[in-house]
Amino acid sequence: MGWQANKELVETLSSKQPGVNYREERVPNYVLPDILSLANGKIVRSAADWPARRQEILELFREHVYGRSPAAPAGMRFETVEIDPKAMNGAATLKRINIHFSEQADAPVLRLVMFVPNQRTAPAPAFLLICNRGVENIDYTRKIKSDFWPAERIVERGYVAAAFFNGDIDPDKHDGFVNGIHGLLERPEARTPSSWGTLAAWAWGAARVMDYWVTDPDVDDTRCVVTGHSRGGKTALWAGAEDTRFAMAVSNESGCGGAALSRRCYGETLSIINKAMPHWFCSRFHDYNGREEALPLDQHLLVALMAPRAVYISSADQDLWADPRGEFLAAQAATPAYALFGRKGLGSAGAMPDLNTPLLGDGVAYHVREGSHTYSLYDWDCHMDMADRELKLKPS
């Protein structure tokens, strides 16, 4: 049978949030847009034909969901703030890199924190966390440690542990897009219905980290993973979709606007998310509030944009708001894109895996664990297990 939502939890949440659907029997009937059907009606049948369909899907998400992001500014530069080769009791080299986007004194600066494993004989692969929680969660002094970013464990597993605070790029508030990178690169009066929202800005920041990594001899820029939790997970999926230099993307409990299918109208819906966080997406996305069936796309297409690269989607059994089943179904529905490349994905049939039983498919992985809405050490280890397989590392 696989994982099933806890009935008592469903009853409790339904009574506390009467306007939110937590019952499977109330999920509407829906038909997902076909992954392989081109706009002209032709069907993609080979990997050679995928780029055309992939570009169509990208444009749909840019037009209707996340918005269109600009290129990196010509004046971008990298500043080395600190290098400590004896970090983590000698296990790693700390690098603090500031990525500047302008010479303006008040321009945003992305403050990248990196711990590079010292026990290596070649450039190391990397995990980049888009941190949507307080900067203490990515404390470079390591006086404060958190499972949200278990940097020591990541280094132990052979990866560069890297992170940046999303607020360095753009504030997580509806400010009319006058602050952060939006304020620097686009005048508010020039915005259109498909101008980039805040999630796209954070994903743009992840791409700028990749711009730096291609210059850093300590990092294997062909084996880099972008990851995030909740809104950070939504961002990581879009970052991986837009920037194919990421070899793998990880979405941890990203829910609506991330990995979960919008058409299920389960837990957080478009109406709820766009009202609460009107700055996250482009304004055209708001046109589909309560009209999910009218969307020319759904989130399985976002997962498919990673093909043939790796993607991991993870959920938690107490986090019904993020719709674990909808996240699994999106991952499973991306299978046809992977099949074009001879990869099995999660396969097209089968129930959700049991609780705490990761399903490491061919290019696509999924798990639902016990617990609440957070990024746990269990999640990290599962994600690194998949990266070990996909990026050809031996587990520690």
Side-chain angles (χ1 to χ4, degrees):
M1 288 293 293
W3 174 83
Q4 301 290 324
N6 181 280
K7 292 182 179 179
E8 291 184 2
L9 180 59
V10 168
E11 292 297 332
T12 298
L13 292 175
S14 296
S15 63
K16 289 182 177 179
Q17 299 172 297
V20 179
N21 176 40
Y22 289 109
R23 303 181 189 278
E24 282 297 323
E25 63 269 22
R26 294 181 182 173
V27 170
N29 293 325
Y30 60 85
V31 176
L32 293 177
D34 186 65
I35 288 176
L36 303 183
S37 295
L38 286 157
N40 62 11
K42 293 183 178 180
I43 304 299
V44 173
R45 303 189 186 280
S46 70
D49 295 329
W50 174 244
R53 176 56 177 155
R54 187 181 189 283
Q55 188 60 36
E56 283 187 352
I57 296 171
L58 268 176
E59 289 302 316
L60 285 173
F61 277 104
R62 289 167 178 160
E63 182 71 18
H64 298 277
V65 184
Y66 305 106
R68 301 179 188 279
S69 303
M76 185 175 69
R77 64 181 177 87
F78 310 124
E79 175 195 9
T80 300
V81 177
E82 180 184 5
I83 296 180
D84 178 4
K86 297 181 180 180
M88 295 182 176
N89 296 318
T93 294
L94 164 66
K95 288 188 175 185
R96 293 169 57 210
I97 307 296
N98 283 357
I99 302 178
H100 297 267
F101 306 112
S102 169
E103 293 304 322
Q104 294 178 204
D106 60 347
V109 177
L110 188 155
R111 297 167 178 84
L112 176 65
V113 178
M114 299 168 51
F115 289 97
V116 182
N118 284 338
Q119 297 249 339
R120 59 185 174 82
T121 58
F127 264 81
L128 173 65
L129 172 68
I130 301 169
C131 181
N132 61 292
R133 292 190 175 177
V135 291
E136 67 275 7
N137 287 280
I138 56 172
D139 179 22
Y140 67 84
T141 72
R142 306 314 294 152
K143 292 178 181 177
I144 301 174
K145 298 180 182 179
S146 166
D147 284 353
F148 194 80
W149 188 54
E152 286 78 5
R153 180 63 177 151
I154 298 168
V155 167
E156 177 188 335
R157 296 278 304 248
Y159 296 94
V160 175
F164 72 90
F165 174 54
N166 62 353
D168 279 354
I169 293 292
D170 215 54
D172 191 6
K173 62 181 180 180
H174 188 40
D175 61 358
F177 303 103
V178 298
N179 298 304
I181 201 66
H182 284 117
L184 179 69
L185 299 183
E186 184 178 52
R187 300 188 314 278
E189 63 270 19
R191 291 183 62 84
T192 71
S194 60
S195 287
W196 56 332
T198 299
L199 293 178
W202 297 336
W204 182 91
R208 306 292 71 82
V209 173
M210 278 299 312
D211 290 341
Y212 166 72
W213 275 347
V214 299
T215 74
D216 189 330
D218 289 333
V219 178
D220 184 346
D221 61 275
T222 69
R223 295 190 294 161
C224 293
V225 184
V226 60
T227 184
H229 166 72
S230 192
R231 65 199 66 184
K234 305 178 205 294
T235 305
L237 284 176
W238 184 233
E242 285 231 285
D243 193 333
T244 58
R245 294 176 297 180
F246 286 111
M248 178 172 161
V250 176
S251 154
N252 192 62
E253 300 168 54
S254 60
C256 182
L261 294 174
S262 298
R263 280 169 168 77
R264 278 175 48 81
C265 301
Y266 185 104
E268 188 173 34
T269 62
L270 267 59
S271 294
I272 294 171
I273 200 170
N274 282 327
K275 181 178 180 180
M277 301 294 182
H279 56 292
W280 279 2
F281 305 94
C282 71
S283 64
R284 179 160 282 130
F285 195 45
H286 297 219
D287 294 344
Y288 300 100
N289 291 350
R291 302 175 56 246
E292 284 84 355
E293 75 286 349
L295 274 167
L297 47 80
D298 213 318
Q299 300 308 104
H300 67 305
L301 292 173
L302 179 62
V303 181
L305 287 173
M306 288 300 300
R309 296 166 296 140
V311 61
Y312 200 129
I313 295 168
S314 50
S315 312
D317 70 335
Q318 295 178 27
D319 187 15
L320 299 187
W321 183 253
D323 188 11
R325 187 172 302 280
E327 294 185 315
F328 170 75
L329 291 173
Q332 189 178 62
T335 296
Y338 284 83
L340 293 173
F341 297 90
R343 309 206 70 181
K344 296 178 181 178
L346 286 185
S348 58
M352 291 183 70
D354 292 331
L355 197 63
N356 303 324
T357 307
L359 180 56
L360 302 184
D362 183 14
V364 184
Y366 175 84
H367 75 246
V368 55
R369 61 157 171 83
E370 290 180 286
S372 59
H373 186 70
T374 192
Y375 207 159
S376 71
L377 186 59
Y378 176 86
D379 296 319
W380 276 102
D381 274 330
C382 291
H383 299 156
M384 287 187 283
D385 287 345
M386 182 64 168
D388 287 348
R389 173 190 292 194
E390 289 288 329
L391 305 182
K392 296 180 175 59
L393 291 178
K394 292 182 179 181
S396 300

